[in-house]
Amino acid sequence: MNQYIERYIYAVTRLIKPKERRDVQRDLTEYFESALGGDESFTNVEKTLKAMGSPRKLAYKYRNNGKNLIKQENYELYLDVVKIGLGIVAEIIFVTAIIDFFSSILINPSLLTLSYGITSIVRFLFEDLLRSLLVIFASLTIGFMLWERYGHHLYHDTEEWMIKDLPKVPSTIRPFEKTSLEMITTTLATVYLSLFVLLVLRFPMLANELGIESSILLPINYNTYFFVFLLLVGQYIINQVLLISKGRTLVYKISRSVFSIALLVTFGLFFFGGEFFSESDKQNFANLLDASLNQATMTIFLNLLITISIMTLLEIKELIRVWKK
Amino acid sequence: MIVLSFLSTQQYGYLVLDELKNKGIKVEASTLYPLLRRLEVQGLLNSHWDLTDGRPKRYYVLSDKGKETLRYLKSEWQNLVLEVEKVMEDSK
């Protein structure tokens, strides 16, 4: 098919919902083939495409279902602003939480407990992150609504367009687009992963400095596990920001795979690397259940086995899904 | 209503466009194709792809809901025409 027709169809379909793209692509292909009637000269192609209107305008017609909080012609800009706003706020809060967490335990090593780790994560997720994201989302949405209401047209229907300016159809993997958001997330992901590797490799020394007794090479136990867990949560958030902001790019696929592999390795270490619960923890658990020490140990073991099995299967499935297409 | 009335038998987009043009009704392809999709989403049309001649074509046809809606729209239209005619006659 003519390259300009392909580029036009791509310019339209990239602005509509992914699940509708294939159908719209076929619809438009059918139309253009019929309308061109075999004459694919530049003049005829240009005339046919110009008669169809700008790709942006056509995409809005496909997307418009008459029930929009934000007008379709402004929706793309709104979506970009919301994604960037949420992404940046999430990253700032995440980095602040990490700094805050490490600062507090370095100042006061006795805070290095599972309960403090869990409290920090819950506070980060629900108090800081969720609240901030909701406020940002609501503010941006209300801001856009007011902007539209007072007659500001962010996009004009009369916008001129040239068929030679149509975007080129990319290969299957989108090229790196070094937008500011991707630069930030990629940099953060790199710094973060370096920290992860450093922490895992150097943990015995760090643990020694912090006064934590560690008998195995990679100490995964009740007191230290949440370090790794916290890093994994952070990596997961970065992945989500990458996915929301740029889709399934190569950067996302690599980042998501590193996360899966790190998680699987952690599960392995967690399960086979050492004693997760100390004998006193088990005894406390047994007392709580009013059961014998053996029963408590078995309960813990089975729960861990089931949880880790499910998580492992989910991660393997996700890993396959990420790279399948 | 006009588009629905063309689709009591199955047609694909370009044919509908052609028929509208022959009847003197000017509708742009950029309006018709998204409209057909919306009508299908609303359940007024059914569609299927015909891939037999190597050029995929989506054929649309009225669904039961579409037939019912068309009947309703026609009767509303006829009532409107009668009312307008009556007003015009009264004003003579």
Side-chain angles (χ1 to χ4, degrees), chain A residues 5-37:
Chain A
I5 299 287
E6 281 183 353
R7 284 163 65 174
Y8 182 91
I9 293 173
Y10 169 68
V12 175
T13 52
R14 69 180 184 157
L15 297 176
I16 61 177
K17 288 179 193 166
K19 65 176 183 181
E20 292 181 3
R21 282 179 192 160
R22 194 160 165 259
D23 279 354
V24 173
Q25 184 191 19
R26 281 173 157 187
D27 269 351
L28 294 179
T29 305
E30 177 260 297
Y31 168 71
F32 285 123
E33 281 179 345
S34 305
L36 289 171

Short mmCIF file of all heavy atoms in Angstrom, two decimals, chain A residues 5-37:
data_model
loop_
_atom_site.label_atom_id
_atom_site.label_comp_id
_atom_site.label_asym_id
_atom_site.label_seq_id
_atom_site.Cartn_x
_atom_site.Cartn_y
_atom_site.Cartn_z
N ILE A 5 -0.55 6.58 2.67
CA ILE A 5 -1.80 6.02 3.23
C ILE A 5 -1.46 5.31 4.54
O ILE A 5 -2.13 5.48 5.55
CB ILE A 5 -2.46 5.02 2.24
CG1 ILE A 5 -2.82 5.70 0.92
CG2 ILE A 5 -3.65 4.33 2.86
CD1 ILE A 5 -3.99 6.64 0.96
N GLU A 6 -0.38 4.52 4.51
CA GLU A 6 0.03 3.80 5.72
C GLU A 6 0.35 4.78 6.85
O GLU A 6 -0.03 4.57 8.00
CB GLU A 6 1.27 2.94 5.43
CG GLU A 6 0.94 1.66 4.72
CD GLU A 6 2.16 0.78 4.50
OE1 GLU A 6 3.28 1.22 4.79
OE2 GLU A 6 1.97 -0.34 4.00
N ARG A 7 1.05 5.85 6.48
CA ARG A 7 1.43 6.84 7.49
C ARG A 7 0.19 7.56 8.03
O ARG A 7 0.12 7.87 9.23
CB ARG A 7 2.45 7.83 6.91
CG ARG A 7 3.84 7.20 6.81
CD ARG A 7 4.75 7.94 5.89
NE ARG A 7 5.07 9.29 6.36
CZ ARG A 7 5.95 10.09 5.77
NH1 ARG A 7 6.61 9.66 4.69
NH2 ARG A 7 6.17 11.30 6.22
N TYR A 8 -0.75 7.83 7.16
CA TYR A 8 -1.98 8.49 7.60
C TYR A 8 -2.74 7.58 8.59
O TYR A 8 -3.17 8.01 9.66
CB TYR A 8 -2.87 8.80 6.39
CG TYR A 8 -4.14 9.54 6.74
CD1 TYR A 8 -4.19 10.93 6.75
CD2 TYR A 8 -5.30 8.84 7.10
CE1 TYR A 8 -5.34 11.61 7.09
CE2 TYR A 8 -6.45 9.51 7.45
CZ TYR A 8 -6.47 10.90 7.44
OH TYR A 8 -7.62 11.55 7.79
N ILE A 9 -2.87 6.30 8.19
CA ILE A 9 -3.60 5.35 9.05
C ILE A 9 -2.89 5.21 10.41
O ILE A 9 -3.52 5.21 11.46
CB ILE A 9 -3.75 3.97 8.35
CG1 ILE A 9 -4.67 4.12 7.14
CG2 ILE A 9 -4.30 2.92 9.32
CD1 ILE A 9 -4.78 2.89 6.26
N TYR A 10 -1.56 5.17 10.36
CA TYR A 10 -0.81 5.09 11.62
C TYR A 10 -1.05 6.34 12.47
O TYR A 10 -1.24 6.26 13.69
CB TYR A 10 0.69 4.93 11.32
CG TYR A 10 1.56 5.11 12.54
CD1 TYR A 10 1.53 4.18 13.57
CD2 TYR A 10 2.37 6.23 12.67
CE1 TYR A 10 2.30 4.36 14.72
CE2 TYR A 10 3.15 6.42 13.82
CZ TYR A 10 3.11 5.48 14.83
OH TYR A 10 3.87 5.65 15.95
N ALA A 11 -1.05 7.52 11.80
CA ALA A 11 -1.26 8.78 12.52
C ALA A 11 -2.63 8.81 13.20
O ALA A 11 -2.79 9.40 14.27
CB ALA A 11 -1.12 9.96 11.57
N VAL A 12 -3.62 8.15 12.60
CA VAL A 12 -4.96 8.10 13.19
C VAL A 12 -4.99 7.07 14.32
O VAL A 12 -5.38 7.38 15.45
CB VAL A 12 -6.03 7.72 12.13
CG1 VAL A 12 -7.40 7.55 12.79
CG2 VAL A 12 -6.10 8.77 11.04
N THR A 13 -4.52 5.86 14.01
CA THR A 13 -4.70 4.75 14.97
C THR A 13 -3.88 4.93 16.25
O THR A 13 -4.25 4.43 17.30
CB THR A 13 -4.36 3.39 14.33
OG1 THR A 13 -3.07 3.48 13.73
CG2 THR A 13 -5.38 3.00 13.29
N ARG A 14 -2.76 5.64 16.16
CA ARG A 14 -1.96 5.82 17.39
C ARG A 14 -2.68 6.72 18.40
O ARG A 14 -2.30 6.78 19.57
CB ARG A 14 -0.57 6.38 17.09
CG ARG A 14 -0.59 7.81 16.62
CD ARG A 14 0.79 8.32 16.33
NE ARG A 14 0.73 9.73 15.98
CZ ARG A 14 1.74 10.56 16.09
NH1 ARG A 14 2.89 10.14 16.53
NH2 ARG A 14 1.61 11.81 15.73
N LEU A 15 -3.72 7.44 17.93
CA LEU A 15 -4.45 8.34 18.84
C LEU A 15 -5.74 7.72 19.37
O LEU A 15 -6.50 8.37 20.07
CB LEU A 15 -4.80 9.65 18.11
CG LEU A 15 -3.61 10.50 17.66
CD1 LEU A 15 -4.07 11.70 16.87
CD2 LEU A 15 -2.80 10.96 18.86
N ILE A 16 -6.00 6.47 19.01
CA ILE A 16 -7.23 5.84 19.52
C ILE A 16 -6.89 4.65 20.41
O ILE A 16 -5.74 4.25 20.48
CB ILE A 16 -8.19 5.43 18.37
CG1 ILE A 16 -7.51 4.42 17.47
CG2 ILE A 16 -8.66 6.63 17.59
CD1 ILE A 16 -8.42 3.93 16.37
N LYS A 17 -7.90 4.11 21.05
CA LYS A 17 -7.67 3.04 22.02
C LYS A 17 -6.99 1.84 21.34
O LYS A 17 -7.42 1.44 20.26
CB LYS A 17 -8.99 2.57 22.61
CG LYS A 17 -9.62 3.54 23.55
CD LYS A 17 -10.93 2.97 24.04
CE LYS A 17 -11.76 4.02 24.74
NZ LYS A 17 -13.14 3.60 24.94
N PRO A 18 -5.98 1.24 22.01
CA PRO A 18 -5.26 0.12 21.39
C PRO A 18 -6.17 -1.01 20.91
O PRO A 18 -5.95 -1.58 19.86
CB PRO A 18 -4.34 -0.36 22.51
CG PRO A 18 -4.13 0.83 23.36
CD PRO A 18 -5.41 1.63 23.30
N LYS A 19 -7.23 -1.32 21.68
CA LYS A 19 -8.07 -2.47 21.30
C LYS A 19 -8.90 -2.18 20.04
O LYS A 19 -9.42 -3.10 19.42
CB LYS A 19 -8.96 -2.90 22.46
CG LYS A 19 -9.98 -1.88 22.87
CD LYS A 19 -10.87 -2.46 23.95
CE LYS A 19 -11.95 -1.46 24.31
NZ LYS A 19 -12.85 -1.89 25.34
N GLU A 20 -9.03 -0.91 19.68
CA GLU A 20 -9.82 -0.56 18.49
C GLU A 20 -8.96 -0.33 17.26
O GLU A 20 -9.47 -0.15 16.16
CB GLU A 20 -10.65 0.69 18.77
CG GLU A 20 -11.75 0.46 19.78
CD GLU A 20 -12.58 1.70 20.05
OE1 GLU A 20 -12.35 2.73 19.40
OE2 GLU A 20 -13.45 1.61 20.92
N ARG A 21 -7.63 -0.30 17.46
CA ARG A 21 -6.74 0.10 16.37
C ARG A 21 -6.84 -0.81 15.15
O ARG A 21 -6.89 -0.34 14.02
CB ARG A 21 -5.29 0.12 16.87
CG ARG A 21 -5.01 1.35 17.67
CD ARG A 21 -3.61 1.38 18.18
NE ARG A 21 -3.51 2.46 19.17
CZ ARG A 21 -2.58 2.56 20.09
NH1 ARG A 21 -1.65 1.64 20.16
NH2 ARG A 21 -2.58 3.56 20.93
N ARG A 22 -6.87 -2.11 15.40
CA ARG A 22 -6.85 -3.05 14.28
C ARG A 22 -8.09 -2.87 13.40
O ARG A 22 -8.00 -2.85 12.17
CB ARG A 22 -6.78 -4.49 14.82
CG ARG A 22 -6.42 -5.49 13.77
CD ARG A 22 -5.89 -6.77 14.37
NE ARG A 22 -5.91 -7.82 13.37
CZ ARG A 22 -6.84 -8.76 13.32
NH1 ARG A 22 -7.81 -8.75 14.20
NH2 ARG A 22 -6.79 -9.69 12.40
N ASP A 23 -9.25 -2.74 14.05
CA ASP A 23 -10.50 -2.57 13.30
C ASP A 23 -10.50 -1.27 12.51
O ASP A 23 -10.90 -1.24 11.35
CB ASP A 23 -11.70 -2.60 14.26
CG ASP A 23 -12.09 -4.03 14.61
OD1 ASP A 23 -11.49 -4.95 14.02
OD2 ASP A 23 -12.96 -4.21 15.46
N VAL A 24 -10.05 -0.20 13.17
CA VAL A 24 -10.04 1.10 12.48
C VAL A 24 -9.05 1.06 11.32
O VAL A 24 -9.32 1.58 10.24
CB VAL A 24 -9.69 2.23 13.49
CG1 VAL A 24 -9.51 3.56 12.77
CG2 VAL A 24 -10.79 2.36 14.53
N GLN A 25 -7.92 0.41 11.55
CA GLN A 25 -6.92 0.28 10.48
C GLN A 25 -7.52 -0.42 9.26
O GLN A 25 -7.37 0.02 8.13
CB GLN A 25 -5.72 -0.50 11.02
CG GLN A 25 -4.59 -0.61 10.03
CD GLN A 25 -3.53 -1.60 10.49
OE1 GLN A 25 -3.80 -2.45 11.36
NE2 GLN A 25 -2.36 -1.50 9.92
N ARG A 26 -8.26 -1.51 9.52
CA ARG A 26 -8.88 -2.24 8.42
C ARG A 26 -9.96 -1.40 7.74
O ARG A 26 -10.09 -1.40 6.52
CB ARG A 26 -9.50 -3.53 8.94
CG ARG A 26 -8.49 -4.63 9.17
CD ARG A 26 -9.20 -5.78 9.85
NE ARG A 26 -8.54 -7.04 9.66
CZ ARG A 26 -9.07 -8.20 10.04
NH1 ARG A 26 -10.26 -8.23 10.62
NH2 ARG A 26 -8.43 -9.32 9.86
N ASP A 27 -10.75 -0.70 8.57
CA ASP A 27 -11.81 0.18 8.03
C ASP A 27 -11.22 1.19 7.05
O ASP A 27 -11.71 1.37 5.94
CB ASP A 27 -12.47 0.97 9.17
CG ASP A 27 -13.67 0.24 9.75
OD1 ASP A 27 -14.07 -0.77 9.17
OD2 ASP A 27 -14.17 0.69 10.80
N LEU A 28 -10.15 1.84 7.53
CA LEU A 28 -9.56 2.91 6.71
C LEU A 28 -8.87 2.33 5.47
O LEU A 28 -8.92 2.92 4.39
CB LEU A 28 -8.57 3.72 7.55
CG LEU A 28 -9.20 4.51 8.70
CD1 LEU A 28 -8.15 5.27 9.49
CD2 LEU A 28 -10.24 5.49 8.18
N THR A 29 -8.25 1.17 5.64
CA THR A 29 -7.61 0.52 4.48
C THR A 29 -8.67 0.22 3.42
O THR A 29 -8.47 0.51 2.23
CB THR A 29 -6.92 -0.79 4.92
OG1 THR A 29 -6.02 -0.48 5.98
CG2 THR A 29 -6.17 -1.44 3.78
N GLU A 30 -9.78 -0.33 3.88
CA GLU A 30 -10.88 -0.64 2.94
C GLU A 30 -11.34 0.62 2.23
O GLU A 30 -11.50 0.65 1.01
CB GLU A 30 -12.03 -1.27 3.74
CG GLU A 30 -13.29 -1.59 2.95
CD GLU A 30 -14.37 -0.53 3.12
OE1 GLU A 30 -14.87 -0.33 4.24
OE2 GLU A 30 -14.71 0.10 2.10
N TYR A 31 -11.49 1.71 3.00
CA TYR A 31 -11.97 2.95 2.40
C TYR A 31 -10.96 3.48 1.37
O TYR A 31 -11.33 3.80 0.23
CB TYR A 31 -12.23 4.03 3.46
CG TYR A 31 -12.44 5.37 2.81
CD1 TYR A 31 -13.60 5.64 2.09
CD2 TYR A 31 -11.45 6.35 2.84
CE1 TYR A 31 -13.78 6.84 1.43
CE2 TYR A 31 -11.62 7.55 2.19
CZ TYR A 31 -12.79 7.79 1.48
OH TYR A 31 -12.95 8.97 0.81
N PHE A 32 -9.70 3.57 1.78
CA PHE A 32 -8.72 4.18 0.88
C PHE A 32 -8.53 3.34 -0.39
O PHE A 32 -8.39 3.90 -1.48
CB PHE A 32 -7.38 4.39 1.59
CG PHE A 32 -7.41 5.55 2.54
CD1 PHE A 32 -7.10 5.40 3.87
CD2 PHE A 32 -7.79 6.82 2.09
CE1 PHE A 32 -7.16 6.47 4.75
CE2 PHE A 32 -7.84 7.91 2.96
CZ PHE A 32 -7.52 7.73 4.29
N GLU A 33 -8.52 2.02 -0.23
CA GLU A 33 -8.38 1.17 -1.43
C GLU A 33 -9.53 1.41 -2.39
O GLU A 33 -9.35 1.50 -3.60
CB GLU A 33 -8.29 -0.31 -1.03
CG GLU A 33 -6.89 -0.65 -0.54
CD GLU A 33 -6.76 -2.10 -0.12
OE1 GLU A 33 -7.80 -2.76 0.06
OE2 GLU A 33 -5.62 -2.56 0.05
N SER A 34 -10.75 1.50 -1.83
CA SER A 34 -11.92 1.74 -2.68
C SER A 34 -11.88 3.15 -3.27
O SER A 34 -12.14 3.34 -4.47
CB SER A 34 -13.21 1.59 -1.87
OG SER A 34 -13.24 0.34 -1.25
N ALA A 35 -11.51 4.13 -2.45
CA ALA A 35 -11.53 5.52 -2.91
C ALA A 35 -10.45 5.79 -3.95
O ALA A 35 -10.67 6.56 -4.90
CB ALA A 35 -11.36 6.46 -1.72
N LEU A 36 -9.31 5.16 -3.80
CA LEU A 36 -8.22 5.39 -4.76
C LEU A 36 -8.49 4.70 -6.08
O LEU A 36 -8.03 5.16 -7.14
CB LEU A 36 -6.88 4.90 -4.18
CG LEU A 36 -6.29 5.72 -3.03
CD1 LEU A 36 -5.09 5.01 -2.42
CD2 LEU A 36 -5.87 7.11 -3.51
N GLY A 37 -9.22 3.60 -6.03
CA GLY A 37 -9.56 2.85 -7.24
C GLY A 37 -8.33 2.43 -8.05
O GLY A 37 -8.35 2.44 -9.28
#
